[in-house]
Amino acid sequence: MQVSWQSLYDEIYACEKCGLCRQIHNKVPGQGDIHAKLMFIGEGPGGDEDLQGLAFVGAAGQLLTKMIAAMGYTRDEVYICNIVKCRPPYNRTPDPAEAASCLPFLRQQVALVRPRVIVLLGATAARTLLREDFRITREHGIWVEKKGVWLMPTYHPAALLRDESKKRDAWHDLQLVMAKMKELEGETDGGHDGV
Ligand code: URA
């Protein structure tokens, strides 16, 4: 069943399913163009995101903003969210059970936005949506198509801040995304709704 944005956000704000919510300041559902053709999915909110209730507004977010700009978009033209909507303590990686309990929200977001292309930022997004043993170093830059949606796994911006030598590969991945967006522009078929 397709829910409305209002009921989805209400459900996210009320959720206490996995316990991450016990130590947070704010839920971070995600933001951007709710009709975007291009979506970015990260791991989970960090400290800045937790304080502001907005995805990707800290240091990694600033780099993501630059990456999006380099692709010819603004943040308002894409949709940005995370696998988990609550900050894990000490910014640890969300565990698979936490990711799984938050996943229905993400699936509903995808169903509502109906993007054509999703950029998976980092291993957690790729492991949650593609395969639990996904290796980002080996498998970034390879398209996966799921129900008409094109998924591109690439490095998380925080990983690029830690190791600048990965930026070249990440830019290559994003160029593939730009080419795919152009290719899909010509198609009349609208967005698709599942991952
Ligand atoms: N890292 C993420 O994965 N998501 C955010 O929103 C911020 C940092």
Side-chain angles (χ1 to χ4, degrees), residues 42-46 49 55-56 82 156:
E43 176 176 304
E49 290 76 17
F56 279 103
N82 285 301
H156 192 287

Side-chain angles (χ1 to χ4, degrees), residues 60-96:
Q62 283 164 27
L63 178 55
L64 179 62
T65 304
K66 286 188 194 161
M67 290 156 65
I68 291 169
M71 296 170 76
Y73 296 92
T74 65
R75 284 176 63 117
D76 294 343
E77 292 173 319
V78 302
Y79 191 82
I80 303 172
C81 61
N82 285 301
I83 295 289
V84 294
K85 313 308 188 202
C86 294
R87 180 194 186 192
Y90 310 107
N91 296 341
R92 65 164 171 76
T93 303
D95 67 37

